[in-house]
Amino acid sequence: DDCEYTAIDDRSMPYLTSDPQGAWVRFTNGQLSTPLCSPSRSVQMRGQRADHSLHISNLQPPAGYSYTAHIGKWVSDVAGATAAYAGKHLNGFPWSAIGTYHPLGWDRLYINGLNTYTDPDYYDQTDALLTPTGYSTDLLSAEAVSFLSTVVEPFLLVVHPDAPHAPMTPAARHSAVDAGGATSADDPPEWDAQIVDAPDHMVLAALSTADKDEFRARRADARRCLLAVDEMIEAVIDELVAQGMLATTAIFFYNDNGNSLGRCRIGTSSSSNKQRPYNWCQNMNLRVRWPGQSNRTEERLVSHTDIVPTLAAILGATPTLAQDGIDIRPLLDDTATTWRSSVESCWLGEVDQPGVPDWWSVVWRARNGAIQWRYTEYDTAEVELFDDVADPDNLVNVAAANSA
C-alpha cells in the first residue's frame, strides 16, 4: 500500500529481489489505472477501472456498488476452490455497525480498512471482531501461513498489508535498520523539481529544509516497513514448499499506488500526493512467479486491470462484470506474438478529495514494447505530454511543442 516504484530493491526487500525459488517474471512497464488506495484495491478485486465501478475516491463506494462481485466470489463459485482475503480491504471498513457491510463471497476473511500497525482489529467471514496483539504485517503472515497449512488446491489467497502506508511504522526489530532512503544520495531525480510547462496546480513552491528532512525520514521508514513484508513473502513461500504446492502455485506481487514523497515539490501537508498521472504514482511494480519459467524481465505493457482476468483464467472462474483488463498468461508463458500498444488510467475523485483536478491519461509504447509517451488531459482543459524514453522522470511537458 503506497509503495513507490523505486522502493523495491535489495536493501528493502532482499528476499523478493533475489528471485526466490526461480521462475520470476518482472514487468518493467506496469501501469495502475487509478493511483489511489481504495479505488486501486477495488480494481484489484473487480477488474474494473474507477470510471466503470464508480469507486472513485477513498470515501465509501456509492450506492449500487456490489460487494458480491469480485474475484473472491467468482473463484469460490468454482467447484472445490477456496478464496481467502487477509489485510486491508476498502478504506474505512467497517463504515458503520458491523453487519451493514460484508464482502460476501470470500470463504475466509481477516480484514480491516484502517492503517494500524500495532494490535490492529480484524473481522472474519462471520463478522466476528478479532483483537490480536502484535505487528500487523506479522499477524497477516501468520494468517496466510495458517490458511496454506490446511487448504486444498485450487485456492486463491490475497494478502494486503498496510505497509508501507503512513504512518510508516516499521516493526521494532527493523526500526534502526538501514534499508535505504534516509540521505540525499537517495533523492530521486524529481526531488524538489519543477515540471517545465506544468499545469497550474503543479506550479509549487520549493520544499523547505524541514520538508526535505521529513520526506527523507518517511522514505527511510517506508523502506523499513517493507522488510517485514519481505519476511512475510519468505514465510508464504516456505509454507508452499512445505505443503508441496509451490510447483503448482502462481504468485503475484504488486503495489496499489505510488507516492510523491517530495517529488515535484508536492509538500508534506498535501493530501494529494498519490493520485497524479506521473510515473512515480502510476507505475506498478508487478512481479509474478510463474512455474516453468526462467527468471526474466518483460517490457510489454500491462495494467493492474489485468490481474483479475488473469487470476480468473488460471482458476477457471467466470467474472460477472465486464473486464477492463486482459489475461496476461501469454506474456507469462512468453508465447505472445502481438500485444496491446496502450493502456488508460484516470482520476475522477476531485469531488470527494479536492487537490488534484480530475484527469484521464493514456500511455503508449514504442516498437520495443517500452513506454514511449504519457499523455494526460485535465478537466481544467490543461494537457501534459511526456516522452518517457527521453524524460523518464516526467519533468518536461512537451505538449505545446507537439500540439500540431
Side-chain angles (χ1 to χ4, degrees):
D1 194 337
D2 279 17
C3 182
E4 58 170 329
Y5 182 77
T6 58
I8 308 299
D9 61 26
D10 58 2
R11 295 179 295 175
S12 61
M13 300 194 77
Y15 180 75
L16 177 65
T17 57
S18 72
D19 295 328
Q21 301 287 340
W24 287 89
V25 181
R26 183 170 67 86
F27 290 84
T28 57
N29 287 294
Q31 294 291 292
L32 298 160
S33 64
T34 297
L36 186 67
C37 307
S38 197
S40 184
R41 286 193 298 281
S42 175
V43 174
Q44 294 164 7
M45 287 185 275
R46 296 164 61 96
Q48 290 188 313
R49 289 192 313 261
D51 59 310
H52 290 152
S53 73
L54 302 183
H55 187 24
I56 59 174
S57 75
N58 276 339
L59 301 187
Q60 183 173 350
Y65 182 93
S66 173
Y67 299 110
T68 61
H70 54 72
I71 185 62
K73 178 65 166 64
W74 303 327
V75 169
S76 185
D77 285 344
V78 174
T82 304
Y85 191 108
K88 190 175 180 183
H89 200 260
L90 300 182
N91 274 30
F93 171 84
W95 295 288
S96 55
I98 192 67
T100 61
Y101 161 73
H102 182 82
L104 297 169
W106 296 97
D107 299 299
R108 180 160 166 169
L109 286 171
Y110 192 75
I111 64 172
N112 67 4
L114 303 172
N115 301 307
T116 305
Y117 282 90
T118 304
D119 300 342
D121 291 343
Y122 293 102
Y123 290 89
D124 71 9
Q125 63 276 7
T126 69
D127 289 341
L129 174 62
L130 310 175
T131 58
T133 59
Y135 185 68
S136 60
T137 306
D138 295 344
L139 293 170
L140 293 180
S141 179
E143 171 66 12
V145 169
S146 173
F147 172 78
L148 293 172
S149 70
T150 58
V151 73
V152 176
E153 296 176 295
F155 68 87
L156 170 67
L157 170 62
V158 178
V159 184
H160 200 299
D162 291 330
H165 194 288
M168 303 169 180
T169 306
R173 63 186 178 278
H174 299 141
S175 61
V177 174
D178 179 8
T183 69
S184 59
D186 294 307
D187 293 345
E190 309 94 335
W191 180 261
D192 198 23
Q194 175 63 66
I195 295 174
V196 175
D197 201 15
D200 287 346
H201 73 277
M202 284 297 293
V203 178
L204 304 169
L207 297 178
S208 67
T209 299
D211 279 344
K212 292 179 181 180
D213 290 343
E214 182 172 346
F215 275 129
R216 287 173 183 139
R218 289 188 191 184
R219 191 171 61 205
D221 278 340
R223 293 170 68 92
R224 293 184 184 108
C225 287
L226 291 174
L227 293 169
V229 178
D230 200 46
E231 293 170 353
M232 178 180 70
I233 294 170
E234 183 173 8
V236 165
I237 290 179
D238 284 350
E239 188 62 26
L240 288 170
V241 170
Q243 298 301 326
M245 297 189 296
L246 184 66
T248 52
T249 301
I251 302 172
F252 288 66
F253 172 87
Y254 49 89
N255 56 320
D256 65 355
N257 53 261
N259 204 324
S260 300
L261 289 177
R263 290 171 166 87
C264 293
R265 301 182 174 180
I266 299 171
T268 56
S269 62
S270 174
S271 62
S272 307
N273 55 2
K274 310 169 196 177
Q275 57 268 41
R276 309 215 178 222
Y278 307 116
N279 61 19
W280 27 273
C281 285
Q282 275 192 263
N283 282 356
M284 175 175 61
N285 200 324
L286 176 63
R287 298 163 186 255
V288 181
R289 188 177 187 279
W290 191 244
Q293 286 292 303
S294 299
N295 294 331
R296 63 182 176 88
T297 58
E298 173 58 66
E299 287 192 338
R300 282 169 287 192
L301 194 57
V302 293
S303 166
H304 86 316
T305 58
D306 298 337
I307 291 172
V308 166
T310 304
L311 294 176
I314 292 170
L315 289 159
T318 303
T320 59
L321 299 172
Q323 295 293 286
D324 288 319
I326 57 179
D327 178 4
I328 64 169
R329 287 180 301 166
L331 294 187
L332 295 171
D333 290 329
D334 202 18
T335 59
T337 56
T338 61
W339 200 248
R340 60 153 67 102
S341 60
S342 64
V343 296
E344 298 177 348
S345 305
C346 61
W347 160 248
L348 305 173
E350 186 186 16
V351 63
D352 292 333
Q353 294 180 252
V356 178
D358 289 347
W359 52 261
W360 195 274
S361 181
V362 60
V363 299
W364 64 96
R365 62 177 176 81
R367 290 179 184 174
N368 66 355
I371 293 173
Q372 171 76 64
W373 298 104
R374 185 180 302 272
Y375 176 74
T376 303
E377 293 183 353
Y378 293 92
D379 68 357
T380 58
E382 295 169 297
V383 298
E384 288 180 308
L385 177 67
F386 297 101
D387 181 340
D388 261 35
V389 173
D391 177 27
D393 306 312
N394 296 171
L395 292 175
V396 181
N397 178 15
V398 297
N402 290 272
S403 59

